[in-house]
């Protein structure tokens, strides 16, 4: 951790500051947390999870990694990195809560100077994020519980297609910090949803609802909608189905039929909300 940043991590057992070491992080009370060989730190205590392997499973995480690597979501990375909050001068402390396999935070950490912290409840996701993006810090943690991160330590918190814990985001953000929420935009993946025989009721726009839920603590400062078409090949279609909740919610026959398609043009749409206090 380079100056001006101090380690913002807190011991999940007692709340004291965690002192970083090469092989281990520990607090003054002697609670130890090993640094895994991939470089991440597991700060998820057993009573903070409902199952042995919570969050996205290995198949979902690897499908998401392949899909990002195919370039189909590159415009999303570019849009995110170009948001005005990242134009602020000087290094920024950025937390990505529900970071998945780390593509978006990884892109940000390459694009600008700062301290980058990725947190996800899925160990597999954090494992492959930390293996690829050594310049960032990665932790396994439950974003819906108290996060092991210091009060008022972050300039920006990202919550992209992930569960939101507004009270914790409010605690962790600096007073002039910004929360970036990414939700599916209008007609996101509409062609795939049609193929999987979802009703039109599933295409609801999510941004107004998200902004309203954030309203007690945050107000909307900026909204950007990114929409584009892209042509997917067979492997990309399979990965996209695997990595989204569509996989679990669609019937086996509809799913098998889509998997047979050699190509499918899809609409990709994301709304990025910037919220401040
Ligand atoms: C749809 S993925 C999005 C990943 C990433 N933000 C992206 O856009 O590529 C949702 C992620 O939220 C994580 N997640 C779900 N519940 C969580 C929780 N309680 N705390 C932290 N992460 C959680 C999942 O493991 C998964 O990696
Ligand atoms: Zn401790």
């Amino acid at each position: 951790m380079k100056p001006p940043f101090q380690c913002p991590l807190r011991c999940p057992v007692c709340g004291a500051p965690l002192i970083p070491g090469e092989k281990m992080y520990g607090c003054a009370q002697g609670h130890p947390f090993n640094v895994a060989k991939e470089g991440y730190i597991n700060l998820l205590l057993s009573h903070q999870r409902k199952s042995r392997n919570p969050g996205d499973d290995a198949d979902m995480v690897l499908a998401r990694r392949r899909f990002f690597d195919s370039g189909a979501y590159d415009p999303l990375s570019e849009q995110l990195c170009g948001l005005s909050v990242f134009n602020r001068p000087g290094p920024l402390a950025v937390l990505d809560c529900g970071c998945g396999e780390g593509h978006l935070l990884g892109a940000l950490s390459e694009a600008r100077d700062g301290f980058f912290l990725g947190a996800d409840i899925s160990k597999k996701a954090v494992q492959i994020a930390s293996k690829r993006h050594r310049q960032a810090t990665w932790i396994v943690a439950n974003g819906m519980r108290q996060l092991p991160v210091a009060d008022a330590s972050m300039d920006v918190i990202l919550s992209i297609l992930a569960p939101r814990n507004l009270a914790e985001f409010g605690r962790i953000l600096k007073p002039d910090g910004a929360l970036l929420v990414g939700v599916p935009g209008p007609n996101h993946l509409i062609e795939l949803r049609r193929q999987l025989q979802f009703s039109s009721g599933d295409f609801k726009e999510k941004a107004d609802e998200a902004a309203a839920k954030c309203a007690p603590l945050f107000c909307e400062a900026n909204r950007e909608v990114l929409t584009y078409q892209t042509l997917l090949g067979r492997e990309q279609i399979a990965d996209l189905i695997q990595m989204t909740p569509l996989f679990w919610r669609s019937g086996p026959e509809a799913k098998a039929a889509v998997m047979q398609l050699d190509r499918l043009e899809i609409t990709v749409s994301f709304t990025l909300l910037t919220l401040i206090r």
Side-chain angles (χ1 to χ4, degrees), residues 9-275:
L9 294 176
R10 293 294 175 260
C11 174
V13 179
C14 70
L18 277 182
I19 298 135
E22 210 170 292
K23 297 210 165 132
M24 189 179 283
Y25 282 44
C27 69
Q29 296 214 44
H31 300 124
F33 301 92
N34 289 335
V35 178
K37 69 174 187 306
E38 296 85 354
Y40 69 90
I41 310 122
N42 190 343
L43 298 178
L44 183 67
L45 304 177
S46 55
H47 70 268
Q48 294 172 333
R49 51 179 160 91
K50 288 193 182 131
S51 64
R52 236 182 121 64
N53 291 306
D56 282 9
D57 64 24
D59 288 344
M60 291 171 86
V61 167
L62 294 172
R64 181 165 284 272
R65 166 59 59 90
R66 286 191 300 269
F67 194 77
F68 266 117
D69 281 351
S70 77
Y73 276 178
D74 279 358
L76 172 62
S77 298
E78 284 155 24
Q79 187 92 10
L80 183 78
C81 293
L83 287 176
S84 59
V85 283
F86 297 118
N87 291 336
R88 292 185 192 179
L92 292 177
V94 182
L95 165 68
D96 186 355
C97 188
C99 59
E101 53 74 57
H103 191 95
L104 296 173
L105 190 71
L108 261 175
S109 68
E110 278 159 21
R112 77 172 331 283
D113 204 17
F115 169 75
F116 299 91
L117 174 63
D120 202 286
I121 200 169
S122 160
K123 193 161 112 182
K124 182 69 188 177
V126 173
Q127 234 166 19
I128 70 166
S130 57
K131 205 167 170 184
R132 180 175 286 185
H133 304 286
R134 290 283 182 170
Q135 69 281 26
T137 301
W138 303 93
I139 58 170
V140 183
N142 186 347
M144 297 313 281
R145 300 285 193 94
Q146 187 171 30
L147 278 159
V149 180
D151 296 357
S153 57
M154 294 289 143
D155 297 291
V156 182
I157 296 182
L158 304 183
S159 173
I160 311 290
L161 307 177
R164 295 183 287 276
N165 184 344
L166 295 171
E168 275 298 88
F169 293 168
R171 178 183 69 76
I172 292 166
L173 266 181
K174 293 180 186 172
D176 63 346
L179 169 63
L180 297 184
V181 171
V183 291
N187 294 335
H188 182 53
L189 309 182
I190 190 166
E191 302 81 1
L192 189 63
R193 289 168 197 274
R194 281 203 190 112
Q195 292 278 346
L196 291 169
Q197 297 165 7
F198 284 99
S199 74
S200 56
D202 290 311
F203 309 149
K204 242 186 2 187
E205 231 269 309
K206 303 265 191 328
D208 286 342
E209 192 185 313
K213 281 192 181 149
C214 295
L217 285 176
F218 299 98
C219 62
E220 187 175 333
N222 183 47
R223 180 182 294 211
E224 294 191 12
V225 182
L226 166 74
T227 303
Y228 59 95
Q229 317 284 321
T230 188
L231 184 65
L232 303 183
R234 192 185 270 249
E235 284 86 22
Q236 286 172 304
I237 298 168
D239 285 337
L240 184 58
I241 295 173
Q242 176 91 54
M243 74 191 220
T244 66
L246 294 173
F247 183 75
W248 305 105
R249 288 165 42 211
S250 49
E253 280 166 26
K255 213 154 50 186
V258 179
M259 298 284 207
Q260 294 303 312
L261 297 173
D262 281 328
R263 48 191 54 213
L264 178 68
E265 182 157 74
I266 56 156
T267 303
V268 175
S269 181
F270 291 104
T271 305
L272 296 173
L273 300 171
T274 303
L275 302 131

